[in-house]
Amino acid sequence: MIRTIKIGVICIVLCLISLPKLAAQEIKLKEYSFTEFFQMIEEEEDSVFRLSNAFLKFNKETDQKFILTFELNKPFNLKSANEDSIRIDKALELTNIVIESFATATPEFLLFGLGKVVFSKPVQCTNCINFMVTQSTFNSTITFKYNRQIRDLALILPPILPPSLYICSSNFQSGLVISSGSTQVFSQFNSVTDKRSLHLTSFENVISANKEKKERVAILGSVFQTILFNKNVVEGSANLTISSEPAETQNESNGRLFGLEINENEFNVPITNLRFDDQNTDLVTMKGNRWSGLILTSISELDRINTLIDGASLSEKLIDEETYKGYILPRLDEMQLRQADFYSQKDLDNYRQKQMIEDVNFYNSEVALRGLFKNYFDSRHDATSANQFYIEIKDLETRRLAYLYHQNPTFDGFFKWRINQFLKLFSAYGTEPAKAVTFSVYVIIAFAFIYLFFPNHWDSHGKDRILHRYQFFFKYLNKDAGMHDVYLEDKQDELAHYNGFKNFFIENGKTVPKFFLATALPLYRWSIASTKTTSWFLQKIDIFKGKWVDLPTPQRAVKTTLLIFTFVIALLYDVFIKMLNALMLSINTFTTLGFGEIPIKGLPRYLAIIQGFIGWFMLTIFSVSLISQLLN
């Protein structure tokens, strides 16, 4: 009995192994050259050209213009050898078409494909392998579909070059759809080790689509082993879908996606549906993209070593797709479901501005999605991107705290809400300590401006200093004495004090050790050095002595100009000293609250207490933010 079962199992396995070869033998492809292919299209009398089960083979005598060449400075970028554009005014329906795309029989490596072709009508390609198109224009929608027969067609090809769909430097004016007609395409066939799996490469194309015209932009990758979607421009009012999900149902498997690259593209569309199963994809790269609209995504994990994503392009763009469906679907009955625009701007705005904040389940899902990206960037030691998503999480938290407070006003709720707002403004939730320093400088300058108009102990002269300047110049202009004489007159009390000190130790120095007299005289000279130096300088620059009114008119004009200039310089110096005192007072109050003493009077005395509290609070947060960043 056991032996019979073993024999039966072996027979079944052998049958399964031979199935691909048998299926491949059932498909017979008729050969055409590239030139013959376009001649058949031109000779077709119907408005639609249909072709099935064909192999387009390069003919070196007639198909020279279908040679594609590389540009060495632009990897993967192809240029057509065709000088003039080929225009096709018929709709195309191509099924089971295999195109010869390369030749290695000669020392040269040649590629063949469609270059500089203008397709005026819709193009539908079902199971088209090695479809290479460059520098072409599609004025209507082009659709690539794949079903199970793609496997049989791929087995026909020699395993030198994997079957591909390659689109480069082309313009799609009415959308682009790449999809599979069955979720079971490539079941147990599209694997990493199977080099005959389909590859998608899209470089430097412009893809446009209009929602009103029902045009679509969709790239569904369940049939592909690799998807390279780089340096394209996608624009229009229709939504874009890029998917690498292996199957629509959990009990069907389409194999693994070996690589997914979405790099340096411009997505100028309202919504991009970005779906990929990270657990079923070996390499995921999304870098350098620019998204003008929102990104609806459903991602399970990102913390594997072969996932490379930049955070700057995704920040403030993400919406959890499954959560959004949970919001939109219950609101639609069966009739509405058939005609619904799931991603209308009204519904998206309502979800983002209201529902994702008010509904705790939606809120938790959106926070979890951003937490997934934050943890990913933390694991990559990309602090900048991790901080961006942390700030997004805290922004959502702040909005929810505001909602909860308005639902149930309490002091605790109000404090949590406002403290989050303050932390966002002051230090971006602790992620930017430098921002805290900048904000502190603003506070110090604002309070210094207030202190400038009030007297304080540090600025003992205050406005009297400026009044003294006026008094000094009035005396000088109305006296015959020089400027240095007026200056010494004002310093008479100070000089008398020092002279009395000098006379005292000279008179009494004879009865004390000479050491004291020898050191006291230099001290006296140092004490009056500043006054003497200033007096000497004023004497040298005073070129017109005497009363101002007695001077000749030319000398009076010169003296007036010089004195006004000197007065302005002195006045600016006084103002600078006053501003400096106000600034130092503000810094001192902000950092230490005046060492226990508040050196100011009047209303600013109470403002100083408030500033001291603000400074204590801000410096504490700054310290915590700085330590947090250092630890990270």
Side-chain angles (χ1 to χ4, degrees):
M1 182 66 181
I2 297 176
R3 183 179 179 182
T4 304
I5 294 174
K6 289 183 178 180
I7 294 174
V9 171
I10 293 173
C11 291
I12 293 173
V13 171
L14 291 175
C15 290
L16 291 174
I17 294 174
S18 62
L19 276 177
K21 295 181 180 180
L22 293 175
Q25 293 174 358
E26 292 178 0
I27 300 179
K28 296 181 180 180
L29 303 181
K30 187 174 181 179
E31 291 188 4
Y32 301 94
S33 69
F34 285 86
T35 302
E36 290 174 338
F37 171 69
F38 283 98
Q39 286 178 346
M40 288 190 297
I41 296 175
E42 184 176 355
E43 295 171 358
E44 176 64 49
E45 298 180 356
D46 196 356
S47 61
V48 179
F49 174 77
R50 298 177 177 87
L51 181 65
S52 301
N53 300 331
F55 178 53
L56 301 186
K57 185 176 179 61
F58 178 78
N59 186 320
K60 65 180 180 179
E61 296 179 357
T62 62
D63 296 342
Q64 290 296 316
K65 63 182 179 180
F66 296 103
I67 295 176
L68 306 180
T69 58
F70 282 103
E71 283 191 353
L72 297 178
N73 59 336
K74 292 185 177 180
F76 303 109
N77 196 352
L78 300 178
K79 294 295 181 181
S80 173
N82 190 13
E83 296 182 357
D84 300 321
S85 297
I86 302 174
R87 187 175 184 88
I88 299 178
D89 294 322
K90 298 181 178 67
L92 303 183
E93 292 183 4
L94 308 177
T95 305
N96 295 344
I97 304 297
V98 179
I99 302 175
E100 183 181 22
S101 59
F102 72 99
T104 57
T106 63
E108 298 179 344
F109 184 82
L110 299 179
L111 287 175
F112 316 123
L114 310 181
K116 296 184 180 178
V117 182
V118 178
F119 299 87
S120 301
K121 300 295 179 62
V123 178
Q124 180 170 307
C125 301
T126 302
N127 295 336
C128 290
I129 296 182
N130 289 352
F131 193 98
M132 286 194 174
V133 59
T134 182
Q135 298 173 275
S136 297
T137 301
F138 295 83
N139 293 325
S140 189
T141 304
I142 178 170
T143 304
F144 292 93
K145 292 184 178 181
Y146 299 93
N147 55 40
R148 291 186 180 184
Q149 281 190 320
I150 189 71
R151 171 188 180 185
D152 304 327
L153 289 171
L155 290 175
I156 294 175
L157 296 175
I160 300 175
L161 190 68
S164 302
L165 170 59
Y166 191 99
I167 304 170
C168 173
S169 303
S170 297
N171 193 327
F172 299 83
Q173 298 183 1
S174 297
L176 168 65
V177 179
I178 304 174
S179 66
S180 61
S182 169
T183 60
Q184 296 181 352
V185 174
F186 275 58
S187 177
Q188 299 179 354
F189 176 75
N190 185 8
S191 63
V192 176
T193 57
D194 198 330
K195 299 302 182 183
R196 303 188 184 192
S197 299
L198 195 61
H199 299 253
L200 167 65
T201 302
S202 176
F203 269 87
E204 299 185 358
N205 302 290
V206 177
I207 306 171
S208 305
N210 192 307
K211 184 183 296 184
E212 285 70 23
K213 295 182 180 179
K214 305 301 181 183
E215 297 161 351
R216 296 177 57 206
V217 179
I219 300 173
L220 307 178
S222 58
V223 299
F224 296 103
Q225 186 183 47
T226 62
I227 297 178
L228 306 181
F229 191 78
N230 299 331
K231 298 184 178 181
N232 300 286
V233 177
V234 185
E235 57 189 16
S237 60
N239 301 329
L240 166 68
T241 299
I242 301 178
S243 174
S244 66
E245 294 177 341
E248 296 178 4
T249 57
Q250 296 295 326
N251 57 357
E252 295 174 340
S253 173
N254 291 348
R256 296 185 63 83
L257 181 71
F258 182 72
L260 172 64
E261 287 189 14
I262 307 174
N263 298 330
E264 300 182 43
N265 302 284
E266 292 188 29
F267 297 104
N268 301 319
V269 292
I271 297 294
T272 300
N273 297 85
L274 185 60
R275 308 168 187 152
F276 67 89
D277 187 342
D278 189 65
Q279 295 179 345
N280 203 63
T281 307
D282 288 296
L283 176 63
V284 177
T285 305
M286 286 194 300
K287 301 178 70 176
N289 299 293
R290 287 182 286 181
W291 320 73
S292 62
L294 299 174
I295 304 171
L296 271 73
T297 185
S298 180
I299 299 175
S300 57
E301 63 171 299
L302 288 170
D303 56 353
R304 297 187 302 115
I305 194 170
N306 50 2
T307 300
L308 301 174
I309 300 177
D310 65 339
S313 63
L314 300 178
S315 181
E316 305 290 341
K317 300 290 184 182
L318 297 177
I319 292 181
D320 188 278
E321 184 177 17
E322 296 301 322
T323 305
Y324 180 76
K325 287 180 180 178
Y327 153 71
I328 198 71
L329 290 177
R331 301 171 59 247
L332 304 174
D333 56 31
E334 183 177 355
M335 183 61 66
Q336 290 175 320
L337 192 60
R338 296 174 183 175
Q339 303 176 352
D341 180 5
F342 291 98
Y343 309 115
S344 69
Q345 194 63 46
K346 180 180 178 181
D347 286 327
L348 284 167
D349 290 342
N350 184 61
Y351 175 77
R352 297 183 70 207
Q353 302 300 328
K354 185 177 180 181
Q355 296 299 326
M356 67 183 285
I357 301 301
E358 297 180 2
D359 189 296
V360 64
N361 295 320
F362 296 167
Y363 168 77
N364 289 335
S365 296
E366 294 293 343
V367 169
L369 174 64
R370 287 151 180 81
L372 184 72
F373 279 89
K374 179 186 178 300
N375 293 337
Y376 164 77
F377 291 116
D378 278 333
S379 67
R380 298 276 173 172
H381 302 286
D382 184 354
T384 301
S385 298
N387 287 340
Q388 286 179 323
F389 281 93
Y390 175 73
I391 291 172
E392 278 196 54
I393 293 172
K394 297 298 290 184
D395 282 341
L396 289 178
E397 179 185 289
T398 302
R399 292 172 58 191
R400 179 155 178 83
L401 288 173
Y403 165 74
L404 294 176
Y405 169 74
H406 289 104
Q407 293 297 111
N408 181 27
T410 62
F411 174 77
D412 184 59
F414 178 81
F415 182 79
K416 289 180 180 179
W417 170 32
R418 292 302 185 184
I419 199 66
N420 261 31
Q421 287 184 322
F422 176 78
L423 291 174
K424 170 66 178 296
L425 178 65
F426 183 66
S427 62
Y429 303 111
T431 61
E432 298 182 22
K435 191 174 183 179
V437 175
T438 302
F439 197 86
S440 298
V441 170
Y442 292 153
V443 172
I444 290 172
I445 293 175
F447 278 91
F449 182 76
I450 297 174
Y451 299 149
L452 183 63
F453 300 97
F454 294 88
N456 60 77
H457 300 169
W458 291 6
D459 188 14
S460 58
H461 295 286
K463 60 181 179 296
D464 293 337
R465 183 195 301 270
I466 299 175
L467 295 177
H468 177 72
R469 296 292 184 193
Y470 278 95
Q471 186 180 19
F472 173 81
F473 280 93
F474 271 77
K475 287 181 180 179
Y476 170 63
L477 292 170
N478 288 286
K479 284 187 176 183
D480 290 328
M483 186 181 293
H484 69 288
D485 294 324
V486 178
Y487 174 75
L488 291 175
E489 182 181 340
D490 290 340
K491 295 290 184 178
Q492 194 63 40
D493 294 339
E494 180 181 340
L495 291 175
H497 170 71
Y498 288 120
N499 287 330
F501 175 72
K502 173 187 175 183
N503 295 331
F504 172 79
F505 63 69
I506 288 177
E507 293 175 358
N508 296 279
K510 298 177 182 180
T511 58
V512 298
K514 293 183 179 181
F515 167 80
F516 293 100
L517 185 61
T519 55
L521 286 173
L523 178 61
Y524 163 75
R525 295 189 184 96
W526 177 76
S527 299
I528 64 172
S530 176
T531 303
K532 292 294 185 181
T533 302
T534 304
S535 175
W536 174 84
F537 176 75
L538 293 176
Q539 184 179 12
K540 294 299 181 182
I541 66 172
D542 190 4
I543 59 176
F544 298 118
K545 298 181 180 180
K547 294 182 180 180
W548 178 77
V549 295
D550 296 335
L551 294 175
T553 301
Q555 293 184 7
R556 185 187 300 179
V558 175
K559 187 170 185 177
T560 299
T561 303
L562 293 176
L563 289 177
I564 290 176
F565 177 75
T566 305
F567 176 77
V568 171
I569 295 297
L571 188 63
L572 291 176
Y573 173 77
D574 294 338
V575 172
F576 171 75
I577 293 298
K578 186 169 181 61
M579 293 175 61
L580 185 62
N581 286 331
L583 181 62
M584 293 301 103
L585 173 62
S586 182
I587 294 174
N588 176 70
T589 305
F590 185 85
T591 55
T592 64
L593 195 56
F595 305 107
E597 179 188 359
I598 303 175
I600 197 168
K601 298 178 180 179
L603 178 62
R605 185 179 184 88
Y606 304 101
L607 294 178
I609 297 175
I610 297 175
Q611 185 189 11
F613 176 78
I614 294 174
W616 165 77
F617 190 68
M618 288 184 173
L619 291 176
T620 302
I621 296 176
F622 166 73
S623 301
V624 173
S625 301
L626 182 61
I627 293 172
S628 175
Q629 291 303 300
L630 290 174
L631 292 177
N632 287 337

